[in-house]
Amino acid sequence: MIKLDISNVLTEEIGQNGLSISEVESEAKKAISLLTQKPYKELEFINLPFQDLIKTKEYGKKARDYEYIIILGIGGSALGPRVLLESLKPFNNLINKNKVFIYDNVDPATLKHVIEIIDLKSTLINVISKSGSTAETLASFLIFWKMIKNRKLDVREHFIFTTDPEKGNLRIIAEEYEIPTLEIPKNVVGRYSVLTPVGLFIAEAIGLKSEEILEGAKEISERAFKENLNENPMAYLASCLYLMDTLKKRKVLVFLPYSDRLKTLSEWFCQLWGESLGKQGKGTTPYPSLGTTDQHSQLQLWMEGPEDKIILFVSVDSHGFQEEIPEEFNYIEGLKYLGGHTLEELINTEQLATEMALNLNKKPNLKIVLPKINSYYIGQIFQFLQVVTSMAGLLYNINPFNQPGVELGKRLTYGAMGKRGFETEGEEVKKYLKKKRFLI
Ligand code: PA5
């Protein structure tokens, strides 16, 4: 089980910037009680570790026959797969037979490079969209669909859709053209979908075992409703983050893993936290970070800048590689002290030193400890953070599963791009553009 250290948010450690253990525990109990009432059907993500994997594994196995796999999806439909790829198969495209490209941002230059690299004949395109209506994903889909058709290739062999089990544009096309599909359960929303075929299909395709990922997550699902606080670290973390915002005005949450393989976990978490909690004037701003790199970039700001941050470290006990630093130049103290230690010792010592420095400066910080990075613990940290985020949403008394604030931008895009039914928005965009004053 991954561990949580909350000592550096308590008053014993950081004085008046901290919280008392009784207030943390009282709010943690509240979080568990709110979760137990299951007020949202979207909490179904907690049951995902118990899903049937037969179809995901079967399609994942077939996908291994392709040299290239392209994922078309964005937000919750891209970030989870990216974490799995980069944490569990780092440098996959340089090392392994199956190359994976996650094309999310509709940047035409990126698309050009991907198209130049792949061989369409040996490419499987996994279009991932829960709604089946996301403009970016559908635009990229149309481009690849046309390319496959132009090459007279069979669309049934080059596409697989991961989408809603019943509705949406992808479902309509899948039925008409007999495209293989994988289902995202009806009540699971994008940013909580990594433990569905959204993440598990690509995991299988790159040779991971999805049951191991789910095994780690299962431990969290089983503990999420436990009233005994000693068994429910998720409730402690939700409580600490919530109270640090509401009582101590810590409005910026720095997510700081000490491992390159967890860099994209920062991006995934920031989407989860930001899109789930930023509502009705509530929520805190997640900041994706990386240790040790950001010690040489942001640490100065965290130590002496505005008193508005809380740091959430993620450290890794065993990185799995023991590169020893050579004992050379022993006559120069600046190099001598490094010799004989390992890189793992250095990265973990830097984490500890940074945490202590913040602590001595009375800056609140928390730490999640992963014993190692493998399928089990990656599954576990996904589910851990998803449970923490939903508990925090319940404490804030907001719905952590919707995203009403992103609708307006989507409607204006539809209007500007000429989608029927959005003519008024199209006119609004024209008027807006006329009002602009550029300085040259
Ligand atoms: O969390 C969410 O719901 C969003 O971030 C979605 O994942 C994102 O907008 C993509 O949506 P869809 O999967 O419907 O294409």
Side-chain angles (χ1 to χ4, degrees):
M1 179 74 185
I2 56 182
K3 288 185 287 189
L4 174 71
D5 175 11
I6 61 162
S7 31
N8 288 347
V9 292
L10 298 178
T11 39
E12 300 88 285
E13 287 294 333
I14 57 167
Q16 61 179 19
N17 284 345
L19 304 163
S20 74
I21 189 69
S22 59
E23 57 196 359
V24 170
E25 292 190 338
S26 141
E27 213 59 29
K29 282 187 188 144
K30 196 169 148 198
I32 298 166
S33 144
L34 289 168
L35 193 77
T36 309
Q37 294 163 29
K38 300 202 179 137
Y40 296 103
K41 59 184 183 330
E42 292 87 347
L43 284 165
E44 191 177 318
F45 79 84
I46 298 178
N47 296 328
L48 288 173
F50 307 96
Q51 74 195 265
D52 180 358
L53 289 169
I54 293 173
K55 199 171 166 194
T56 308
K57 288 180 89 63
E58 181 197 326
Y59 285 175
K61 188 162 172 253
K62 278 191 201 152
R64 282 178 228 154
D65 295 337
Y66 293 81
E67 204 177 334
Y68 302 97
I69 302 174
I70 299 180
I71 292 180
L72 306 179
I74 196 161
S77 294
L79 293 169
R82 188 165 277 147
V83 178
L84 286 164
L85 189 67
E86 293 187 12
S87 64
L88 299 173
K89 290 277 174 169
F91 297 100
N92 176 73
N93 290 0
L94 296 178
I95 299 167
N96 294 315
K97 192 182 133 273
N98 313 82
K99 320 272 179 248
V100 181
F101 296 97
I102 300 179
Y103 181 62
D104 54 356
N105 198 24
V106 287
D107 181 326
T110 309
L111 181 74
K112 177 177 177 289
H113 289 121
V114 172
I115 292 172
E116 276 168 6
I117 293 166
I118 59 165
D119 171 5
L120 267 188
K121 276 206 307 293
S122 185
T123 298
L124 180 65
I125 300 148
N126 180 206
V127 188
I128 308 181
S129 176
K130 174 74 196 297
S131 62
S133 60
T134 302
E136 294 90 334
T137 307
L138 291 185
S140 330
F141 160 68
L142 289 169
I143 291 169
F144 279 99
W145 183 265
K146 188 79 190 291
M147 285 194 308
I148 293 286
K149 299 281 267 187
N150 284 350
R151 290 283 299 275
K152 309 254 181 300
L153 297 167
D154 185 347
V155 287
R156 290 170 303 181
E157 277 170 23
H158 291 274
F159 282 97
I160 176 165
F161 295 166
T162 307
T163 190
D164 187 276
E166 289 159 15
K167 50 185 193 332
N169 298 317
L170 292 177
R171 200 39 69 200
I172 298 171
I173 299 167
E175 271 158 33
E176 191 176 341
Y177 288 88
E178 295 172 26
I179 307 290
T181 59
L182 287 161
E183 284 72 43
I184 307 171
K186 197 164 137 234
N187 294 330
V188 175
V189 296
R191 57 194 175 275
Y192 293 82
S193 71
V194 61
L195 299 176
T196 72
V198 168
L200 300 181
F201 165 73
I202 194 64
E204 287 287 335
I206 55 176
L208 302 169
K209 291 199 168 74
S210 48
E211 64 275 21
E212 288 176 5
I213 298 170
L214 291 188
E215 201 52 41
K218 197 183 283 176
E219 173 92 34
I220 302 298
S221 295
E222 283 166 353
R223 286 169 177 241
F225 300 96
K226 292 256 178 177
E227 282 173 26
N228 176 356
L229 285 181
N230 291 331
E231 294 182 87
N232 201 331
M234 294 76 76
Y236 271 108
L237 184 54
S239 164
C240 291
L241 294 174
Y242 170 73
L243 292 175
M244 270 290 158
D245 170 20
T246 51
L247 301 184
K248 303 290 168 186
K249 303 288 165 250
R250 296 283 161 173
K251 292 284 174 199
V252 178
L253 168 57
V254 176
F255 190 83
L256 183 60
Y258 272 65
S259 162
D260 285 346
R261 286 181 287 163
L262 299 181
K263 187 172 183 205
T264 48
L265 185 74
S266 279
E267 288 171 33
W268 173 85
F269 173 73
C270 288
Q271 186 221 358
L272 179 70
W273 189 261
E275 203 170 17
S276 297
L277 305 182
K279 280 156 212 172
Q280 301 169 17
K282 299 176 188 174
T284 55
T285 303
Y287 179 87
S289 205
L290 180 71
T292 65
T293 310
D294 280 340
Q295 289 173 211
H296 303 271
S297 160
Q298 301 297 308
L299 184 57
Q300 174 61 37
L301 173 73
W302 303 336
M303 288 289 275
E304 296 181 5
E307 288 282 351
D308 58 357
K309 292 169 204 64
I310 172 154
I311 317 290
L312 176 55
F313 289 98
V314 181
S315 73
V316 180
D317 279 342
S318 166
H319 291 257
F321 306 95
Q322 288 299 333
E323 189 69 31
E324 193 174 298
I325 306 169
E327 297 183 61
E328 298 271 351
F329 302 104
N330 274 345
Y331 54 95
I332 307 177
E333 188 48 43
L335 278 79
K336 182 176 175 238
Y337 78 102
L338 292 167
H341 294 289
T342 63
L343 286 183
E344 177 173 282
E345 267 182 281
L346 181 59
I347 194 168
N348 287 353
T349 304
E350 297 243 12
Q351 186 284 316
L352 185 71
T354 306
E355 165 196 326
M356 274 186 70
L358 288 164
N359 182 42
L360 292 169
N361 235 359
K362 308 290 176 214
K363 309 291 179 199
N365 62 88
L366 293 144
K367 179 159 69 168
I368 295 171
V369 184
L370 291 190
K372 54 166 97 158
I373 298 177
N374 62 14
S375 296
Y376 182 89
Y377 288 114
I378 288 295
Q380 192 155 93
I381 196 162
F382 276 139
Q383 194 71 325
F384 187 95
L385 294 169
Q386 290 180 152
V387 169
V388 169
T389 305
S390 356
M391 281 178 167
L394 299 177
L395 292 174
Y396 279 113
N397 195 21
I398 50 98
N399 175 353
F401 302 107
N402 63 5
Q403 53 283 329
V406 303
E407 289 311 312
L408 181 56
K410 281 189 193 170
R411 289 213 318 271
L412 292 169
T413 303
Y414 293 153
M417 298 291 283
K419 185 173 179 182
R420 199 160 51 168
F422 295 86
E423 293 76 11
T424 319
E425 285 84 351
E427 287 309 313
E428 290 293 324
V429 174
K430 280 186 199 143
K431 270 196 238 153
Y432 173 78
L433 283 172
K434 280 200 190 122
K435 284 192 314 201
K436 294 236 59 90
R437 280 172 50 189
F438 289 104
L439 301 178
I440 319 172

